[in-house]
Amino acid sequence: MTVISIDSPADTLTRDALTVLQPGFTGTTAPDWLLHQLAEGLGAVALFARNIESPAQLAALTAQLRAVRPDVLVAADEEGGDVTRLESRGGSSFPGNLALGAVDDVKLTRAVAAELGRRLAECGVNLNWAPSADVNSDPGNPVIGVRSFGSEPDLVARNTAAYIEGLQSSGVAACVKHFPGHGDTATDSHHAMPRIDVDLETLHARELVPFRAALAAGTKVVMSAHILVPALDPELPATLSPAVLTGLLRAPREEGGLGYDGLIITDGIEMQAIAATYGIERGTVMALAAGADAICVGGGLADEGTVLALRDAIVDAVRAGDLPAARLADAAARVRELAAWAAERAGAEEGNAPAAPSGESRESRDEVGLEAARRALRITRRDAFTPLTGAPYVAALTPVANLAVGEDTPWGVAAELARLLPGTVTGTYRAEDAAALGTAAFVAGLVEEAGDRRIVAVVRDVHRHPWMADALAALVALRPGTVVVEMGVPQAPPTGALHIATHGAARVCGQAAAEAITTAL
């Protein structure tokens, strides 16, 4: 009988428990508790928008972490487009997946991902929780939407593979998500448990197609989804399901599985789909037992107490026999293997890559992102369009942002139009405004605010928001010259209006739309 002692916080079991955690923290420098846990064996640190002010600050932060643990994995959720951490204060220099899918040029997708990876690597980030390989088959999906390359499995698959190749060419590990596919749901797993009611045939022909392509492209990490797929497991969500993580993702191809042997990480364990039903401690243990190798936490819970609670839950589960010690050791070994790959790639890049020109402008480095954003524009009723020459009134019909995107990242075309047409005025309108006044009075007030200015109505997923659709239809009827800019998932444009679909709300998408509005199309 083997007796495992855990008297020292640095023993093998406790170190393994810390190694599999990827926690977040608050602030723009590492707190003492985080540095202490790194010294004790913590294998990774997760960065969010709250931790990032500038590339220089981020590089200093990651250097601070590596001064304690040189092989630490530093992860960020940097998808580009709507979901950006590097540029959360000003908007992303790169369009997101839906824009890249609209262009559907794998060379361009690969180039965008490579440049994004280069910027992450320069700042010391070596693991990116991207790309999303979800097939957005439900247009009402509140959390995927523009984060998906599209609704066609093969298109999503080829762009997913290209993105992974580009990102990992820069020495940053890709993390394809959200396995086995979060696209066919109208529920956000940040708030509740989504359910994907499809049969196995559909699952293999649609949801799993991009994940097979991702594995073939060599993705270093796969992120599990907090979704219930009864065709795979009628009781447990994918993150906690041995049938999904071990029986499908890990199982050899000859046994009907995908044959994946790399790192599996969970989506944020404090998301309500897991936390509300299982709790984060039990959920963590169940995820590891099911086949996950790393636990993402820290989007909401970002303190030492959370890290210690999860560490202790893992250790206690091993001691109680609820989590095999060999399973934990295997998970920790995979984390260390990825850390070694990242460290080796960082060393190779440092030794071989030429230094970026010191005078390189943001504009020149944004070129590939702006090219993609321009090519992603889809314009309806070009024939009826007269370019804007005077400063317009920008009416931003603004929905509540989902938690993956966040409320702090700016979006729209107002800032870019103001740069091109000084004197541009903007107004922000929300669902509660329309509800309080009624559609007719709401739109009449908007038109009054606009005065004689041409109106540019900016919307986001208008098909998911009845108040927005009603207001837009009434506005176009009152002011037929209104320009409509859809920065979410485009559906049928309103009758009679010039309609520009950007396929995402990144800063460069707004820039591309503003350029189109002010020039002959």
Side-chain angles (χ1 to χ4, degrees):
M1 177 179 178
T2 301
V3 177
I4 299 176
S5 169
I6 59 167
D7 294 334
S8 166
D11 67 64
T12 299
L13 175 57
T14 305
R15 291 188 72 84
D16 283 353
L18 284 169
T19 296
V20 302
L21 300 179
Q22 295 194 2
F25 64 97
T26 58
T28 54
T29 59
D32 290 343
W33 70 261
L34 183 63
L35 299 176
H36 175 72
Q37 294 304 326
L38 284 171
E40 293 295 294
L42 186 66
V45 174
L47 302 179
F48 297 88
R50 62 177 181 251
N51 305 121
I52 300 172
E53 291 180 339
S54 68
Q57 169 270 325
L58 178 55
L61 170 58
T62 58
Q64 185 186 15
L65 300 174
R66 290 198 169 89
V68 176
R69 187 178 183 90
D71 64 344
V72 65
L73 288 170
V74 181
D77 192 5
E78 181 54 60
E79 299 177 14
D82 293 36
V83 180
T84 178
R85 309 307 179 217
L86 287 181
E87 298 183 280
S88 64
R89 288 166 172 78
S92 180
S93 301
F94 304 94
N97 284 3
L98 191 64
L100 295 173
V103 179
D104 194 21
D105 176 345
V106 293
K107 183 178 179 181
L108 180 65
T109 297
R110 192 178 295 112
V112 167
E115 174 59 19
L116 182 57
R118 185 181 73 80
R119 297 189 188 193
L120 288 167
E122 279 186 347
C123 297
V125 176
N126 54 14
L127 169 58
N128 188 13
W129 295 330
S132 166
D134 306 298
V135 178
N136 198 56
S137 52
D138 185 344
N141 195 313
V143 68
I144 302 301
V146 296
R147 301 168 67 197
S148 166
F149 288 108
S151 58
E152 202 280 312
D154 289 336
L155 180 149
V156 176
R158 59 180 170 264
N159 283 281
T160 294
Y163 195 104
I164 289 165
E165 292 163 0
L167 186 65
Q168 292 187 170
S169 72
S170 298
V172 176
C175 174
V176 67
K177 59 189 182 185
H178 306 79
F179 187 83
H182 205 313
D184 190 16
T185 175
T187 302
D188 184 345
S189 52
H190 289 90
H191 303 297
M193 180 75 74
R195 180 184 176 101
I196 311 295
D197 282 310
V198 299
D199 56 29
L200 282 175
E201 183 179 358
T202 300
L203 191 74
H204 280 275
R206 188 177 66 188
E207 273 75 13
L208 295 181
V209 171
F211 288 98
R212 291 194 189 96
L215 303 192
T219 187
K220 291 295 179 180
V221 186
V222 174
M223 178 179 283
S224 66
H226 303 331
I227 57 174
L228 187 69
V229 187
L232 297 174
D233 189 325
E235 297 182 357
L236 294 173
T239 291
L240 309 183
S241 172
V244 175
L245 299 188
T246 302
L248 176 60
L249 184 54
R250 288 266 189 243
R253 293 182 183 87
E254 56 269 22
E255 297 177 12
L258 301 186
Y260 178 62
D261 194 41
L263 185 78
I264 300 174
I265 185 173
T266 70
D267 207 343
I269 205 69
E270 73 267 48
M271 292 165 61
Q272 289 303 295
I274 300 297
T277 302
Y278 304 95
I280 63 169
E281 292 91 345
R282 183 183 173 207
T284 291
V285 172
M286 291 177 69
L288 291 168
D293 305 305
I295 307 297
C296 169
V297 67
L301 301 174
D303 58 274
E304 185 176 24
T306 298
V307 173
L308 296 179
L310 297 185
R311 180 201 69 183
D312 293 347
I314 295 168
V315 170
D316 291 346
V318 173
R319 296 180 69 184
D322 297 326
L323 176 65
R327 170 77 274 273
L328 176 61
D330 175 61
R334 281 197 174 92
V335 174
R336 294 181 185 117
E337 182 180 354
L338 179 63
W341 174 88
E344 180 180 356
R345 289 301 307 270
E349 292 295 326
E350 185 176 347
N352 299 324
S358 59
E360 188 177 33
S361 67
R362 191 186 81 168
E363 286 74 19
S364 65
R365 293 180 59 175
D366 285 354
E367 186 175 344
V368 68
L370 184 55
E371 175 195 350
R374 287 168 174 160
R375 291 176 63 186
L377 294 182
R378 297 294 179 267
I379 302 171
T380 304
R381 292 220 62 201
R382 290 172 182 259
D383 57 319
F385 176 66
T386 302
L388 268 67
T389 55
Y393 183 80
V394 179
L397 306 187
T398 305
V400 175
N402 70 59
L403 289 178
V405 175
E407 292 281 2
D408 296 331
T409 302
W411 69 284
V413 299
E416 295 298 333
L417 279 174
R419 180 175 61 83
L420 297 171
L421 298 172
T424 293
V425 176
T426 186
T428 300
Y429 301 89
R430 303 183 185 277
E432 52 267 32
D433 304 322
L437 296 172
T439 299
F442 171 71
V443 172
L446 187 160
V447 170
E448 184 178 353
E449 286 291 325
D452 294 333
R453 294 170 181 265
R454 185 98 169 265
I455 296 175
V456 177
V458 187
V459 296
R460 202 172 188 177
D461 290 338
V462 68
H463 66 284
R464 293 199 304 110
H465 304 285
W467 73 270
M468 195 184 296
D470 292 344
L472 193 59
L475 175 60
V476 171
L478 275 176
R479 296 283 289 268
T482 295
V483 178
V484 178
V485 181
E486 168 64 86
M487 303 194 79
V489 178
Q491 300 295 314
T495 302
L498 175 79
H499 184 269
I500 300 177
T502 63
H503 299 91
R507 177 182 59 78
V508 286
C509 294
Q511 181 178 348
E515 291 173 351
I517 293 168
T518 56
T519 58
L521 299 180

